Amino acid sequence: MRSITPGRVAGESQAGATLWREEGLKVPRRQCKKRRLGTSENGSQRRVASRPNEVWSYDFVSDQTSDGRRLKVFCVVDECTRECLALEVQRSFRAQDVITVLAALIAQRGVPAHLRSDNGPEFVAQAVQTWLKAHAVGPLYIAPGSPWENADVESFNSRLRDEHLNREAFASLLEAQVLAAGWRRDYNEARPHSALAYLAPAVFAARGRAPIGVPPLPAPASAETLKP
């Protein structure tokens, strides 16, 4: 058999590709690089929520049941009130599952002006972008590889990990779901938060207070900003 150098294939002529086929080898396809959505201008330090329901942020946290099977926890947080709006536990989530959770929240609380997230596949999926556009929700995609720009939900994730996930051994998905619901209720209604004058998030939200001196964010982004 003739010696063939794989590393040269991408730049070879058609004759080179033919040679690979004659030897029974698969010719690698050229792949276009994908451009990731997001910018530092959308970070929570630069675009701060000034009122409830202005900015929700969402993210995923991973864990597992005692048999080693994966658990995925979907967290949605109101950045002004620090309330945990949703804490859903499943084995996996698709873009449609994300939409289902958001739709239920909007039915209960109204439409947020913005949704802040990283560039996870569930968040940048075309189905999610289309749904956000249809509901006039402005997406705030942070810069790739910069979790600190989604500081509020990252802070929540850390608390969730330290106070709940690291302390529980889940025997099943159902147990994880039930315990997550209980922890979320306690977090919202009984846990004081230093950024809220040591009030619990639900208590703070009920009083209708917002951080002082924080200007409102611009109106939701137009449809053009949803394009990759």
Side-chain angles (χ1 to χ4, degrees):
M1 180 180 289
R2 285 167 288 187
S3 176
I4 302 174
T5 305
R8 297 178 57 195
V9 173
E12 290 291 291
S13 64
Q14 183 63 34
T18 301
L19 178 60
W20 266 59
R21 294 190 183 95
E22 290 176 352
E23 297 296 339
L25 301 174
K26 182 178 180 180
V27 180
R29 294 181 178 180
R30 289 181 177 271
Q31 295 185 354
C32 297
K33 293 183 178 180
K34 294 182 178 180
R35 180 174 173 271
R36 302 291 294 275
L37 296 177
T39 170
S40 292
E41 294 301 318
N42 289 335
S44 57
Q45 294 87 351
R46 299 189 181 186
R47 308 190 72 174
V48 181
S50 62
R51 63 181 186 275
N53 235 37
E54 183 177 19
V55 182
W56 296 353
S57 54
Y58 54 174
D59 201 5
F60 288 104
V61 179
S62 295
D63 202 22
Q64 63 182 23
T65 44
S66 54
D67 59 3
R69 296 178 63 195
R70 185 185 187 189
L71 289 174
K72 202 166 185 178
V73 186
F74 181 38
C75 315
V76 185
V77 175
D78 185 306
E79 291 192 4
C80 178
T81 67
R82 305 302 201 276
E83 286 177 284
C84 175
L85 307 182
L87 195 62
E88 301 292 328
V89 186
Q90 296 293 342
R91 295 293 183 184
S92 64
F93 279 87
R94 301 168 301 167
Q96 187 55 52
D97 299 321
V98 170
I99 291 172
T100 298
V101 174
L102 293 178
L105 288 177
I106 284 177
Q108 297 170 3
R109 295 174 172 268
V111 181
H114 300 273
L115 264 168
R116 195 185 327 265
S117 74
D118 59 23
N119 300 272
E122 300 88 353
F123 303 141
V124 300
Q126 190 59 51
V128 172
Q129 293 190 52
T130 300
W131 188 88
L132 293 177
K133 173 183 174 182
H135 289 78
V137 179
L140 296 175
Y141 293 113
I142 63 173
S146 305
W148 55 88
E149 293 181 356
N150 204 6
D152 292 293
V153 78
E154 289 294 335
S155 176
F156 173 83
N157 291 348
S158 178
R159 195 166 187 177
L160 171 66
R161 175 75 64 188
D162 291 342
E163 297 181 5
H164 179 57
L165 299 180
N166 286 348
R167 299 184 181 187
E168 300 286 352
F170 306 112
S172 66
L173 172 61
L174 178 59
E175 182 180 37
Q177 292 170 333
V178 171
L179 292 177
W183 186 87
R184 172 177 170 266
R185 184 167 51 252
D186 184 65
Y187 168 84
N188 281 338
E189 299 175 4
R191 301 292 181 90
H193 199 296
S194 59
L196 306 176
Y198 293 95
L199 297 174
V203 175
F204 180 87
R207 294 188 179 185
R209 297 168 59 187
I212 298 174
V214 178
L217 290 175
S222 67
E224 290 299 315
T225 62
L226 289 172
K227 295 181 179 179

